[in-house]
Amino acid sequence: MSEPLTVPPFLAANVARLLPIAREGRLGRLRRGIEKEGLRVDTEGHIAQTPHPKTLGSKLTHPHITTDYSEALLEYITPVYSQPREALAFLGDLQAFSYRYLEDEWIWPASMPARLSGNDSVPIADYGTSNIGTMKHVYRKGLDVRYGRIMQAIAGVHYNVSLPDSMWQVLQTLEGQERVSLNDYRSTRYFGLIRNFRRHSWLLLYLFGASPAIDKSFLPRGDAPETVPEKLKPLDDETYYAPYATTLRMSDLGYQNKVQEQLKICFNSLSNYVNTLRHAISSPWPDYEKMGVNVDGDWRQLNANILQIENEYYSDIRPKRVTKHNETPSQALEARGVEYIEVRCLDLNPFDPLGVTETQIRFIDAFLMWCLLSESPWISDEECDRLDDNRRLVVERGRDPRLTLTRDGEATSVGAWGEQIFAEMNEVATLLDATEEGAPHAEAIAALAPSLQDPALTPSAQILARLEQNEVSFSELMLTLAKEQGEQLRHQPMLRAREALLDQLVETSHQQQRDIEVADQERFSDFLADYFASARENRALTSLHNEASS
């Protein structure tokens, strides 16, 4: 008989101190917004070659419906809500609204792309003639010459979460940190959360990874033997899969880059994070220099540096702050601190029309709070390498019963380590559920717990089972799901007020784009030079100077 799992004293003490305050309603609720990407595809499951529908509004200025890398890669952005159900309802209405105008097209439900016909079959998004629109387009051209377009056709869910000020103020008082500014305290604690997230994000990859298979057109030369990675096996004439993989999207087939690996951002402090990114956007890289930047009037990339802009840095989590005019994401962070975090490692859930469920959201909320309230020492370079190894192993072999991960220098199984984390998360769920009707966080943890000992319950295993049972290819299965979900969303009723808002935003966003284009008088080369000169400024120093002057 195994010994009962214990909760670390540090975490138990934090929960015990906060629980009475939560029951009094003084902690407030987490706030979240959802960003969901999805490829438009034609009736045969090929990536759409049509432009972004004008009937959806301007992708440059619309606050809720835009595109990511490709003209075909829709991106939906919800407002911030304190209740997951409200965020999901808005996301559903955005997709229902879109289906009014997609005609013979569907939204692909999987993270790994639909049928492709080579690099050029992924159309780069066009944002119009303004300088900012041109910059967004050239940035994407730069991603093409650096990494190719096919990688940019991958989709996912980004989950943005913040703690309310009331919760930060309570934590700051309990920890005796009142002499520290709230912005500095909040930033320090967010970075502690991020470090623990990076230590344990493998668990989310295991539980929610949903990309164990790909269409062969995703590979550079289809099924040419010399181009098929060793980890992949043929499932049928059109599909490759990795037998125990959870999320090929997060593998070296997806958003990974060897040039960026040298950055070694382990999120130990805000200044370290910002300075490393600033170095990357100002340091030339020889291979990128050879590609050229502006060649005979053809802008191939924004610059030849390690990163063109900060958004090019790939990570499973990011600290964020809403930017002001003429301010980069890092400058916003150093001027006013971390405002929220963005979780970026979530595959689309292909079995749900929204791509993410309330159970997932409630679990992630509890996971993030557990990361915040647990001890979080700085991450050494050696530990950083071990964390990368754990993530890679779960990505490629997460459902392998023989798999072991490294925890505190010792080998452990996914199930054993996961059960310990779940036991500790249950304590945090009690805290979060103190302000809810029922126990939605505890219920989410309980719903996912069986997956730890039975990998067949994970989304990645369910996808492979469906492929084998139905004897269909990856693209055939996903096209069937796309059509089923599309029909469901086409007939989904919308709130009248939201319907009116989205109707209005179509014309408003187009007018805003026209206004921006008319107002632009500066040459693009001058605009870009001014942008990068401003991006090199240390806004923390500027902020301190402004405070001293006032």
Side-chain angles (χ1 to χ4, degrees), residues 231-255:
K231 69 171 76 67
L232 296 182
K233 311 296 179 188
L235 185 67
D236 55 45
D237 291 343
E238 302 295 326
T239 306
Y240 279 93
Y241 77 112
Y244 294 112
T246 58
T247 167
L248 293 177
R249 166 178 170 263
M250 296 297 291
S251 74
D252 55 7
L253 292 174
Y255 278 103

Side-chain angles (χ1 to χ4, degrees), residues 46-88:
H46 295 275
I47 183 173
Q49 300 299 302
T50 53
H52 181 77
K54 288 188 176 180
T55 44
L56 297 184
S58 163
K59 54 186 173 292
L60 178 69
T61 55
H62 199 296
H64 303 300
I65 304 175
T66 181
T67 55
D68 194 83
Y69 173 84
S70 174
E71 191 77 3
L73 188 53
L74 287 164
E75 181 173 3
Y76 298 110
I77 305 167
T78 76
V80 177
Y81 289 102
S82 59
Q83 286 291 353
R85 200 163 297 175
E86 294 177 352
L88 290 169

Side-chain angles (χ1 to χ4, degrees), residues 57-205:
S58 163
K59 54 186 173 292
L60 178 69
T61 55
H62 199 296
H64 303 300
I65 304 175
T66 181
T67 55
D68 194 83
Y69 173 84
S70 174
E71 191 77 3
L73 188 53
L74 287 164
E75 181 173 3
Y76 298 110
I77 305 167
T78 76
V80 177
Y81 289 102
S82 59
Q83 286 291 353
R85 200 163 297 175
E86 294 177 352
L88 290 169
F90 196 101
L91 179 60
D93 282 348
L94 290 176
Q95 293 180 97
F97 182 82
S98 299
Y99 265 116
R100 290 181 175 182
Y101 305 107
L102 290 185
E103 298 180 356
D104 293 329
E105 293 180 346
W106 309 92
I107 301 172
W108 194 247
S111 282
M112 299 308 281
R115 293 175 172 135
L116 307 173
S117 300
N119 195 66
D120 292 344
S121 69
V122 182
I124 299 176
D126 182 351
Y127 294 91
T129 61
S130 67
N131 282 326
I132 189 63
T134 301
M135 181 178 175
K136 290 168 75 73
H137 182 70
V138 172
Y139 166 61
R140 285 157 175 77
K141 290 178 67 176
L143 297 178
D144 177 19
V145 298
R146 293 175 178 215
Y147 320 117
R149 300 186 192 182
I150 287 178
M151 186 181 85
Q152 314 299 328
I154 296 172
V157 173
H158 295 172
Y159 185 56
N160 302 301
V161 185
S162 65
L163 276 67
D165 283 348
S166 57
M167 194 177 296
W168 286 121
Q169 288 161 357
V170 167
L171 287 169
Q172 187 179 26
T173 301
L174 288 176
E175 294 175 10
Q177 296 291 317
E178 295 96 328
R179 293 185 178 182
V180 179
S181 74
L182 183 59
N183 278 352
D184 288 345
Y185 172 78
R186 180 168 45 210
S187 294
T188 299
R189 297 291 272 109
Y190 266 132
F191 269 86
L193 182 161
I194 289 170
R195 289 194 296 275
N196 274 337
F197 182 94
R198 289 182 63 79
R199 288 181 172 105
H200 304 99
S201 62
W202 61 264
L203 180 61
L204 300 185
L205 303 179

Side-chain angles (χ1 to χ4, degrees), residues 139 143 146-147 151 255-265 276-277 280 285 288 306-315 318:
Y139 166 61
L143 297 178
R146 293 175 178 215
Y147 320 117
M151 186 181 85
Y255 278 103
Q256 304 294 324
N257 179 262
K258 289 182 171 58
V259 175
Q260 293 187 23
E261 287 177 4
Q262 66 167 317
L263 296 178
K264 290 295 181 186
I265 297 181
T276 307
L277 282 182
W285 189 255
Y288 300 158
I306 295 173
L307 302 178
Q308 298 174 89
I309 56 176
E310 295 166 22
N311 286 350
E312 191 173 339
Y313 172 62
Y314 304 135
S315 176
R318 283 181 185 166

Side-chain angles (χ1 to χ4, degrees), residues 431-443:
L431 181 64
L432 292 175
D433 286 338
T435 57
E436 302 286 345
E437 291 184 13
H441 298 91
E443 290 168 1

Side-chain angles (χ1 to χ4, degrees), residues 314-332:
Y314 304 135
S315 176
D316 53 5
I317 189 169
R318 283 181 185 166
K320 299 292 288 285
R321 158 71 65 174
V322 174
T323 58
K324 296 181 178 179
H325 176 66
N326 198 29
E327 186 179 57
T328 68
S330 284
Q331 287 172 331

Side-chain angles (χ1 to χ4, degrees), residues 14-43:
N14 273 336
V15 172
R17 290 189 298 174
L18 290 170
L19 193 54
I21 301 170
R23 287 172 174 158
E24 293 171 3
R26 292 195 287 124
L27 277 190
R29 285 190 170 94
L30 302 184
R31 294 167 55 77
R32 81 271 299 149
I34 302 170
E35 301 171 26
K36 184 225 174 180
E37 301 159 346
L39 276 177
R40 288 185 293 113
V41 301
D42 65 19
T43 55

